[in-house]
């Protein structure tokens, strides 16, 4: 079986390629932009084929799909950092929506019929009220950032191409995930790196933070990519699934846990530049539909994920 991963050099993409290469009779191909950094996948680069392609360029997407003829596509390529979407909304909306449209149009034009996973996000739910928790797939979508709007559009575009053209899409709404290789702009990795920098003596013991009151539902990235795989193995065409742990963590408690695990004490300072025009207050997902239909369940406890994240930053030179 041939698998094509867009966004293979990214955080989730790199863990998905590790997972896919561990499966029997699976050939993996990926696409990368010419300027993408490959440090996340260097360890397994010889074991899969790589094509240069920007998802925003329709003809190069079509060329790659025509050459690879994948049985499955994991569409992970995206601008994934919420704050960037306020600074550069055009880029986020273009990359995320047009990128997916180019994949779909390439499939229509070539007549190929692979299964396609569309990586949506819990950010699509946006403003969620207390009586709606934990969030089911049927909850209204009330996005609060340009990034979230782009993910709603991707999700609905996938639904529309399924209904109109019978493209075999499975939509996943991944809740927050972290683990080794997470870039340090995202909250857990950011805090872990600041702690390790203090331990190394390259930073004063001052922890810079944004909104510590938000609550997020975290899963280890290695469990998430196993979920993506199961989504294509067992998910229903056109359907949508939450992938979440079901446990809410207040960001201040995550910070406390990281300090406890590392034994480092730091003064906590709010950095206004890290505050968002509208931050989603709480996201905790109901994963019962996904568990029931695929047998998935998270295996790695969050505390272990945080330990692995600290170890990742300690090992990084
Ligand atoms: N990044 C960051 N840095 N976030 C902070 C900080 C900080 O110093 N302090 C508090 N936060 C809060 C944010 O305001 C947000 O409420 C929460 O921590 C998580 O922020 P991020 O780690 O940046 O992730 P996100 O929730 O905005 O988005 C991530 O999860 C989505 C799924 O829900 C990304 O991975 C998205 O791509 C993904 O779709």
């Amino acid at each position: 079986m041939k698998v094509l991963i867009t966004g293979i050099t990214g955080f989730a993409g790199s863990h998905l390629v590790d997972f896919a290469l561990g499966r029997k009779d699976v050939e993996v191909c990926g696409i990368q932009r010419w300027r993408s950094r490959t440090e996340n996948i260097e360890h397994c680069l010889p074991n899969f084929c790589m094509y240069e392609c920007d998802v925003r360029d329709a003809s190069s997407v079509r060329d790659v799909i025509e050459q690879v003829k994948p049985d499955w596509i994991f569409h992970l390529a995206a601008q994934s950092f919420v704050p960037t979407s306020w600074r550069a909304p055009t880029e986020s909306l273009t990359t995320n929506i047009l990128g997916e449209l180019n994949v779909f149009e390439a499939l229509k034009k070539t007549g190929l019929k692979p299964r396609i996973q569309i990586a949506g996000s819990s950010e699509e739910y946006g403003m969620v009220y207390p009586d709606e928790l934990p969030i089911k797939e049927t909850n209204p979508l009330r996005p609060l950032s340009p990034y979230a709007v782009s993910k709603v559009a991707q999700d609905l575009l996938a639904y529309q191409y399924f209904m109109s053209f019978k493209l075999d899409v499975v939509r996943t709404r991944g809740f927050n995930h972290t683990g080794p290789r997470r870039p340090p702009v995202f909250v857990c990795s950011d805090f872990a790196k600041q702690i390790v920098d203090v331990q190394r003596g390259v930073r004063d013991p001052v922890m810079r933070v944004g909104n510590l009151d938000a609550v997020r539902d975290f899963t280890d990235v290695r469990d998430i990519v196993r979920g993506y795989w199961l989504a294509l193995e067992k998910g229903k065409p056109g359907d949508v699934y939450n992938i979440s742990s079901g446990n809410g963590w207040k960001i201040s408690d995550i910070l406390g846990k990281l300090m406890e695990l590392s034994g480092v004490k730091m003064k906590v300072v709010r950095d206004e530049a890290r505050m968002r025009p509208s931050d989603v207050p709480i996201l905790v997902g109901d994963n019962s539909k996904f568990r029931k239909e695929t047998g998935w369940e998270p295996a790695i406890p969050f505390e272990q994920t945080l330990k692995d994240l600290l170890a990742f930053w300690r090992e990084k030179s």
Side-chain angles (χ1 to χ4, degrees):
M1 180 174 70
K2 255 187 170 179
V3 164
L4 178 66
I5 304 174
T6 74
I8 199 165
T9 57
F11 169 58
S14 75
H15 285 282
L16 181 59
V17 72
D18 285 345
F19 181 84
L21 290 173
R23 317 293 294 179
K24 261 198 174 162
D25 302 323
V26 172
E27 191 182 332
V28 180
C29 296
I31 61 169
Q32 68 171 132
R33 283 177 302 172
W34 66 271
R35 62 189 174 89
S36 294
R37 296 173 64 160
T38 53
E39 60 189 347
N40 286 340
I41 51 167
E42 224 110 84
H43 62 284
C44 56
L45 258 180
N47 302 325
F48 61 93
C49 55
M50 191 69 124
Y51 294 83
E52 203 178 289
C53 167
D54 186 329
V55 288
R56 290 171 301 190
D57 176 20
S59 65
S60 68
V61 172
R62 199 174 59 232
D63 286 351
V64 169
I65 285 180
E66 230 160 17
Q67 279 184 63
V68 175
K69 297 190 176 38
D71 299 293
W72 283 4
I73 299 177
F74 293 94
H75 182 52
L76 306 183
Q79 192 303 101
S80 65
F81 187 45
V82 173
T84 297
S85 78
W86 275 293
R87 283 193 292 272
T90 311
E91 199 228 321
S92 300
L93 291 162
T94 308
T95 303
N96 297 2
I97 304 171
L98 193 63
E100 180 178 303
L101 186 65
N102 287 338
V103 172
F104 289 167
E105 282 296 304
L107 294 175
K108 260 181 70 194
K109 289 194 177 106
T110 56
L112 293 166
K113 302 253 179 247
R115 295 217 88 189
I116 316 144
Q117 178 249 353
I118 294 299
S121 163
S122 53
E123 276 287 304
E124 292 175 51
Y125 295 114
M127 191 62 223
V128 174
Y129 298 103
D131 63 345
E132 296 173 326
L133 293 165
I135 309 162
K136 286 192 184 308
E137 288 84 351
T138 47
N139 213 71
L141 306 177
R142 307 183 191 102
L144 294 182
S145 67
Y147 166 79
V149 170
S150 79
K151 285 287 157 183
V152 170
Q154 279 194 247
D155 195 333
L156 298 185
L157 193 65
Y159 173 75
Q160 183 252 309
Y161 269 69
F162 164 71
M163 292 299 283
S164 307
F165 306 111
K166 295 284 165 280
L167 286 196
D168 186 5
V169 296
V170 180
R171 299 172 286 145
T172 53
R173 293 185 187 146
F175 283 62
N176 290 62
H177 41 288
T178 192
R181 304 181 200 150
R182 186 59 151 161
V185 286
F186 296 94
V187 70
C188 300
S189 199
D190 183 319
F191 292 172
K193 183 171 186 305
Q194 290 192 56
I195 286 171
V196 171
D197 283 349
V198 170
Q199 287 177 318
R200 281 197 181 129
V202 296
R203 163 192 285 274
D204 291 336
V206 177
M207 171 69 70
R208 306 194 78 81
V209 301
N211 174 21
L212 293 185
D213 294 328
V215 175
R216 291 290 185 275
D217 176 333
F218 277 93
T219 302
D220 192 284
V221 64
R222 294 159 285 196
D223 283 332
I224 287 280
V225 298
R226 187 166 42 81
Y228 288 168
W229 193 270
L230 281 168
L232 287 194
E233 214 164 56
K234 300 193 171 161
K236 289 200 187 93
D239 216 340
V240 64
Y241 299 95
N242 284 342
I243 310 186
S244 68
S245 72
N247 302 316
W249 276 79
K250 204 168 172 184
I251 302 299
S252 55
D253 292 336
I254 297 177
L255 177 57
K257 180 53 83 178
L258 281 166
M259 288 197 190
E260 179 195 314
L261 290 172
S262 57
V264 167
K265 287 210 164 48
M266 293 167 73
K267 185 179 167 202
V268 177
V269 172
R270 183 167 134 145
D271 177 353
E272 288 307 318
R274 289 167 185 248
M275 301 301 288
R276 304 175 180 190
S278 47
D279 197 15
V280 174
I282 180 163
L283 292 173
V284 180
D286 181 331
N287 60 21
S288 51
K289 179 179 172 186
F290 192 58
R291 277 176 184 249
K292 191 163 163 249
E293 291 192 25
T294 68
W296 178 84
E297 51 185 285
I300 305 173
F302 188 47
E303 187 164 323
Q304 185 60 48
T305 306
L306 294 179
K307 284 182 187 163
D308 292 350
L309 193 51
L310 286 163
F312 168 74
W313 284 115
R314 284 191 192 110
E315 281 157 25
K316 217 167 155 69
S317 53

